[in-house]
Amino acid sequence: MVGGGQLARMTHQAAIALGQRLRVLAAAPDEPAAQVTPDVVIGSHTDLDDLRRAAAGATVLTFDHEHVPGDLLDQLIAEGVNVAPPPAALLHAQDKLVMRRKLSALGAPVPRFAAIETPEDLDDFAALTGGPMVVKAARGGYDGRGVSIVDDVAQARAVVTDYLAAGVPVLVEERVAMRRELSALVARSPFGQGAAWPVVETVQEDGICVTVIAPAPDLTADSAASAQRLALRLADELGVVGVLAVELFETTDGQLLVNELAMRPHNSGHWTMDGAATSQFEQHLRAVLDYPLGATTPVAPVTVMANVLGAPQTPAMTMDERLHHLFARYPDARVHLYGKDERPGRKIGHINLLAKDATDSANLRERAERAAHWLSHGEWSDGWDPHE
């Protein structure tokens, strides 16, 4: 697996159960996956020789991020390496403009968009949409980076000018009237078998996913099925092998529009580690190894995942002590920590909580977010004191 982050770390956990050995190409020996797997190659995902070392003798080369240059992957394929997902598919997760154009050609619902080559191109787009817009770097953005929400052409022009001056290709999209964000997570094998988990609601703050609710509350059965069919169709049309996350906008009039694609295990699928018959990490391995895919059935009526983000000030209390208090209050919390140093806003872990009753969604979300806040800050957001 190219990349030594938390996705590779959790994929390694799944590989152990399947009797597989996951070799990781990591940038440094202290990266999350490099801490736990014995088979580590230290190197860069932009260096062909490092990629060759990682792929040597492997059954398949896969990814925990989408930033490997396609020409390097093409060279590996020419040398006989099995790459999954293939670079022709991965390109649609690497380049937002390529993705938008391809989805439009396939008839998938997307916000109106335009490529911007000069600041003046914004005037034509603003005249077409007549409202606020979103300016995006076509490549390299994640977790809100490379995305600017602007209210008018003047703001958009300033952002575009900076991007273009830095040599970054730019696109602009209309800002849709949005009710919430959803994610349809699916997997596809080389054989063409597909599997879909329930559609989930994702809650974002400052461009970072903070909470996932599975399944998405109050989503009609027809809308959920439509999202799953769309994600499975896109996986097939694009030739994806592995897990595909289709991030969606649900508009105020109930329409579903594709926002982003990710061709790897995804933050919106972390709930599956405890809340589904097959986790996204095991499923990704099954897919790239061309095993039959596992069941995606939920094991509880509702699962809520809350990300643990680094606090503005690292608590004086150690993480071990914070865990002690968390488990004393919430013995049912399923904690997954990534072995990362704590920095403001950094994803350092997540917590899953499962409900026995579908009507418990709001309470479960409150408990999960409170637990994640405690692990981040060392403070209970409701003022709870175990000594009182």
Side-chain angles (χ1 to χ4, degrees):
M1 181 167 262
V2 178
Q6 64 261 26
L7 300 180
R9 181 186 179 105
M10 291 181 277
T11 303
H12 171 69
Q13 293 174 250
I16 293 170
L18 295 179
Q20 300 291 332
R21 189 175 77 184
L22 185 74
R23 179 184 299 144
V24 171
L25 176 60
D30 62 348
E31 287 195 335
Q35 297 172 20
V36 297
T37 178
D39 196 351
V40 182
V41 172
I42 303 300
S44 170
H45 63 273
T46 61
D47 185 285
L48 180 58
D49 287 336
D50 290 344
L51 290 167
R52 284 177 173 139
R53 287 192 295 134
T59 304
V60 61
L61 184 75
T62 190
F63 313 95
D64 97 331
H65 62 73
E66 293 101 343
H67 305 309
V68 183
D71 59 334
L72 300 186
L73 296 177
D74 288 334
Q75 179 62 37
L76 292 177
I77 291 171
E79 296 172 7
V81 176
N82 176 23
V83 176
L90 195 63
L91 176 61
H92 299 92
Q94 294 174 325
D95 191 307
K96 294 180 174 63
L97 189 55
V98 170
M99 180 264 291
R100 281 282 179 260
R101 287 170 170 161
K102 181 64 173 180
L103 295 188
S104 295
L106 294 173
V110 297
R112 289 179 290 182
F113 71 97
I116 302 298
E117 296 182 358
T118 69
E120 289 70 32
D121 293 338
L122 287 166
D123 297 330
D124 295 335
F125 186 75
L128 174 68
T129 60
M133 60 190 82
V134 181
V135 181
K136 295 183 176 182
R139 284 178 170 264
Y142 66 98
D143 280 353
R145 296 173 178 86
V147 177
S148 299
I149 299 173
V150 297
D151 295 322
D152 53 41
V153 174
Q155 290 181 1
R157 197 180 280 265
V159 175
V160 165
T161 299
D162 288 343
Y163 280 143
L164 294 179
V168 177
V170 182
L171 72 154
V172 64
E173 300 176 355
E174 66 178 323
R175 196 196 310 174
V176 299
M178 186 176 62
R179 179 187 173 204
R180 59 179 171 174
E181 295 190 48
L182 304 171
S183 179
L185 194 74
V186 299
R188 181 180 178 273
S189 73
F191 179 71
Q193 183 188 13
W197 287 272
V199 177
V200 302
E201 178 177 349
T202 64
V203 181
Q204 316 285 327
E205 291 181 6
D206 299 323
I208 299 176
C209 176
V210 293
T211 307
V212 172
I213 307 161
D218 304 317
L219 184 66
T220 68
D222 286 347
S223 291
S226 176
Q228 290 174 311
R229 285 195 298 268
L230 172 64
L232 288 167
R233 180 169 75 89
L234 292 179
D236 189 56
E237 295 273 11
L238 299 178
V240 174
V241 175
V243 166
L244 170 69
V246 180
E247 298 180 71
L248 301 159
F249 295 139
E250 182 183 19
T251 65
T252 51
D253 61 2
Q255 189 180 9
L256 298 181
L257 303 176
V258 178
N259 177 27
E260 303 280 358
L261 301 179
M263 295 181 191
R264 51 172 170 76
H266 190 254
N267 200 171
S268 68
H270 289 351
W271 71 274
T272 63
M273 296 179 75
D274 301 297
T278 306
S279 79
Q280 65 166 343
F281 300 102
E282 178 181 335
Q283 195 80 298
H284 186 75
L285 289 172
R286 288 192 187 210
V288 301
L289 293 168
D290 206 9
Y291 289 171
L293 300 181
T296 53
T297 315
V299 301
V302 182
T303 301
V304 174
M305 186 282 301
N307 274 326
V308 180
L309 305 177
Q313 296 291 329
T314 301
M317 186 185 298
T318 66
M319 180 60 77
D320 183 67
E321 191 174 354
R322 279 175 265 163
L323 275 174
H324 180 101
H325 288 286
L326 174 67
F327 288 144
R329 185 176 187 186
Y330 293 146
D332 58 331
R334 318 287 181 89
V335 177
H336 303 271
L337 295 176
Y338 306 153
K340 289 181 170 182
D341 293 334
E342 297 180 58
R343 293 204 302 262
R346 190 186 200 191
K347 293 176 184 174
I348 58 174
H350 70 271
I351 296 171
N352 288 332
L353 285 174
L354 283 62
K356 297 179 181 179
D357 189 327
T359 62
D360 197 35
S361 177
N363 177 58
L364 195 71
R365 175 180 173 181
E366 183 178 328
R367 292 177 66 230
E369 291 178 343
R370 184 183 296 135
H373 185 274
W374 164 255
L375 280 189
S376 295
H377 295 78
E379 299 173 349
W380 289 107
S381 57
D382 61 350
W384 185 76
D385 185 343
H387 304 296
E388 290 184 356

